[in-house]
Amino acid sequence: MLKPIGIFDSGIGGTSIWREIEKLLPYEDTIYLADSANAPYGAKSKEQILELSIKNTELLLQKNCKLIVVACNTATTNAIDFLRANYDVPFIGIEPAIKPAALHTKTKKVGVLATKGTLSSSLFHSTSKMFAQGITVLEQEGTGLVELIEDGKAHSEETRILLKKYLDPMLEEHIDCLVLGCTHYPYLIPLIMELVPPGLTIIDSGEAVARQTKAVLEKNQLAAPTKNKATHRFYTNADTSALSFLVSGPGIYIEYLDF
Ligand code: DGL
C-alpha cells in the first residue's frame, strides 16, 4: 500500500494548496482534513492552535501519511516548530510570502492580509524582519473573511464590502504587492481584482508549497511511482457541501468524520 501525503487546514481554504500539489504531483495519493468545526483558527490562542494542530497531525499519522503539509498559515506560524520537533515525518508549512513581495515591489510598500494568529506570531515577525529590510510592510487582519468563505460566500456583496474596508487603507499607502497570508484567501482573488488597481501584484505561496513538497519527497525517497492512479480522500467535521463545491472529479472522495 502506498502512503499518502497528509494535508490539514482549519477548513476548506487549504484546498487551494491541495490543488497545486495535485497539479504538480498527480500520482501522489492525498488525505485532506478540513477542521471546519474549529474554524477560524486565526482568532484562537497559540495554545489552542497548537492543540488543534497536534490533533490533526495525529489523525493523519494514524491514516499512515508519509509527509504532512500544514496548509494553513496560522497553524504553520504557531505550531510547525513543535510538530517538527515531536513527530518523525517531514512537515511542509506555509507562511506569508514576504520575500518574493520584497523582491518584487517598486514602491517599497507591500500589504499583507492575514489572520490575527498569523500576524501576531513570532515566526511571521522574524520572517518579516529578515526579508523586508528597507520595505514598509502594511499588515491587515482579515477578521471575518475565513467565516464568509467557509459559509460559501466568497463572492458575496458582504465579502466585497469587508474586503474593500481592509484593502483601501493599504492602497492609499500605495502598496504595489498584496501578499495573501491565509490559504482561504485565494478564493477571494476574483473580488480582490475588482477592488485593486490593475498594476497591483497579488502574491500567494501555493505553487511554492507544492514545489517544496516535491523536493522533500524526493530527498527522502518518499515519492510515489509516477504510474500510480491517485486517490484523494477529504474529511471534514462539518457539512460536506462546501468541500464538494470546491473539489470534485475522478479519484476524489469526500466524507464527514467526527474529529
Ligand atoms: N487557512 C487558514 C490560514 O491559512 C485560516 C486560518 C483561520 O481559520 O483563521 O491561516
Side-chain angles (χ1 to χ4, degrees):
M1 257 288 269
L2 290 173
K3 292 183 166 193
I5 294 173
I7 303 169
F8 77 82
D9 179 39
S10 62
I12 58 176
T15 55
S16 62
I17 305 297
W18 171 81
R19 215 177 292 285
E20 296 295 339
I21 292 174
E22 199 273 332
K23 198 158 71 181
L24 189 67
L25 305 164
Y27 43 87
E28 291 288 348
D29 294 336
T30 63
I31 294 186
Y32 182 101
L33 300 182
D35 192 12
S36 295
N38 292 301
Y41 280 12
K44 294 184 169 26
S45 67
K46 185 177 170 72
E47 290 67 34
Q48 287 171 312
I49 297 166
L50 191 55
E51 210 174 286
L52 292 166
S53 301
I54 291 170
K55 167 192 71 113
N56 297 332
T57 296
E58 294 197 344
L59 179 53
L60 288 171
L61 292 176
Q62 264 172 38
K63 293 191 176 294
N64 222 8
C65 291
K66 58 186 175 185
L67 169 149
I68 293 179
V69 179
V70 183
C72 174
N73 292 260
T74 313
T76 299
T77 49
N78 285 279
I80 204 159
D81 290 346
F82 178 91
L83 299 175
R84 286 191 172 130
N86 286 279
Y87 298 96
D88 274 345
V89 293
F91 285 87
I92 310 290
I94 178 160
E95 281 183 71
I98 298 284
K99 189 181 171 185
L103 292 172
H104 190 84
T105 180
K106 300 265 184 298
T107 60
K108 303 289 172 213
K109 287 189 177 174
V110 306
V112 181
L113 187 62
T115 70
K116 185 173 176 211
T118 295
L119 294 174
S120 62
S121 68
S122 48
L123 189 55
F124 172 75
H125 281 287
S126 54
T127 306
S128 237
K129 224 185 180 156
M130 186 156 34
F131 297 116
Q133 279 169 19
I135 308 280
T136 305
V137 178
L138 292 132
E139 301 172 14
Q140 175 64 56
E141 289 177 13
T143 311
L145 293 172
V146 165
E147 292 90 319
L148 286 163
I149 297 161
E150 287 288 318
D151 284 350
K153 294 181 184 156
H155 308 288
S156 69
E157 192 50 27
E158 204 181 338
T159 306
R160 185 193 171 82
I161 292 168
L162 197 56
L163 257 181
K164 188 168 165 42
K165 184 174 129 193
Y166 294 154
L167 294 174
D168 279 355
M170 295 194 281
L171 296 174
E172 277 159 26
E173 294 287 334
H174 306 294
I175 60 160
D176 62 353
C177 288
L178 175 67
V179 176
L180 302 184
C182 170
T183 56
H184 281 70
Y185 298 168
Y187 290 113
L188 301 174
I189 288 176
L191 265 187
I192 294 175
M193 304 247 292
E194 288 176 24
L195 294 167
V196 300
L200 185 129
T201 306
I202 299 171
I203 301 184
D204 90 280
S205 335
E207 252 185 83
V209 170
R211 283 197 304 271
Q212 177 69 357
T213 304
K214 183 171 193 271
V216 172
L217 285 174
E218 284 169 1
K219 184 172 154 234
N220 290 281
Q221 284 155 7
L222 290 171
T226 53
K227 64 178 188 323
N228 180 45
K229 231 175 151 15
T231 56
H232 306 286
R233 299 193 182 276
F234 289 79
Y235 296 100
T236 174
N237 49 16
D239 197 312
T240 53
S241 58
L243 263 181
S244 316
F245 183 72
L246 294 178
V247 289
S248 61
I252 292 182
Y253 304 90
I254 301 175
E255 263 177 64
Y256 172 82
L257 184 70
D258 187 10
F259 65 93

